[in-house]
């Protein structure tokens, strides 16, 4: 898996995002491109903002036990997989705003780097290694950029 903390990989992702247009359509699924970018930003919002509440202890146990490995391993996500409620973006968003926001999160993640993420606590999964954060971020974004053909 590529390293989202490496400047060259971040630039590759930004280049792929820059290939998107408001008219880009998905190869599968029902999200529009603006919704997809907002959806991808949720993972970063959970790290950089207080927008999303921490799940209760029982839900965290369930997430750590049954969901975490599928999110942080190297195995690609299947098409049309279910997503957590916080990641569902039902309303349309402004394309340029979401594009700039997603790129900003990528650049912030790159700039903070591996040391910042080593042992950083996830709202859902507890402390993660930098490699687990890399998998969580890169695999998700790559999945959706591939969904939209870039």
């Amino acid at each position: 898996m590529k390293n989202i903390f490496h400047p060259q990989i971040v630039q590759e992702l930004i280049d792929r995002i820059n290939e998107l247009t408001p008219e880009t359509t998905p190869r599968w699924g029902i999200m529009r491109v603006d919704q997809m970018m907002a959806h991808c930003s949720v993972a970063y919002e959970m790290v950089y903002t207080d927008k999303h509440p921490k799940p209760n202890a029982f839900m965290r146990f369930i997430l750590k036990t049954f969901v975490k490995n599928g999110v942080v391993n190297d195995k690609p996500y299947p098409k049309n997989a279910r997503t957590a409620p916080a990641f569902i973006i039902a309303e349309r968003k402004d394309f340029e705003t979401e594009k700039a926001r997603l790129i900003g999160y990528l650049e912030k993640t790159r700039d903070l780097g591996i040391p910042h993420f080593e042992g950083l606590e996830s709202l859902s999964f507890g402390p993660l290694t930098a490699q687990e954060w890399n998998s969580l971020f890169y695999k998700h974004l790559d999945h959706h950029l591939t969904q939209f053909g870039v």
Side-chain angles (χ1 to χ4, degrees), residues 1-59:
M1 179 168 306
K2 293 186 178 183
N3 185 344
I4 201 157
F5 301 112
H6 191 282
Q8 181 181 344
I9 301 307
V10 172
Q11 189 58 54
E12 287 176 13
L13 291 167
I14 291 170
D15 291 346
R16 290 170 69 187
I17 292 167
N18 282 327
E19 289 181 42
L20 297 167
T21 70
E23 292 77 35
T24 304
T25 57
R27 294 177 174 175
W28 70 84
I30 60 172
M31 281 192 291
R32 300 287 300 261
V33 67
D34 52 287
Q35 293 168 313
M36 177 274 288
M37 289 187 293
H39 166 88
C40 288
S41 288
V42 171
Y44 300 95
E45 289 172 354
M46 289 182 171
V47 175
Y48 299 128
T49 75
D50 293 327
K51 181 177 179 179
H52 302 279
K54 187 175 185 175
N56 64 38
F58 176 73
M59 183 55 71

Side-chain angles (χ1 to χ4, degrees), residues 42-105:
V42 171
Y44 300 95
E45 289 172 354
M46 289 182 171
V47 175
Y48 299 128
T49 75
D50 293 327
K51 181 177 179 179
H52 302 279
K54 187 175 185 175
N56 64 38
F58 176 73
M59 183 55 71
R60 281 179 58 125
F61 171 78
I62 296 297
L63 292 168
K64 286 168 69 173
T65 305
F66 298 106
V67 177
K68 177 183 172 184
N69 185 56
V71 172
V72 302
N73 69 20
D74 289 343
K75 184 178 177 188
Y77 292 129
K79 294 177 183 176
N80 297 313
R82 292 189 56 178
T83 192
F87 286 82
I88 296 172
I89 309 297
E91 68 281 351
R92 297 298 306 274
K93 300 289 188 172
D94 179 74
F95 176 85
E96 293 299 333
T97 299
E98 294 307 322
K99 179 177 165 182
R101 200 161 70 95
L102 183 55
I103 290 172
Y105 283 138

Side-chain angles (χ1 to χ4, degrees), residues 98-114:
E98 294 307 322
K99 179 177 165 182
R101 200 161 70 95
L102 183 55
I103 290 172
Y105 283 138
L106 283 168
E107 292 171 337
K108 183 173 185 171
T109 301
R110 174 202 63 209
D111 294 346
L112 288 170
I114 291 171

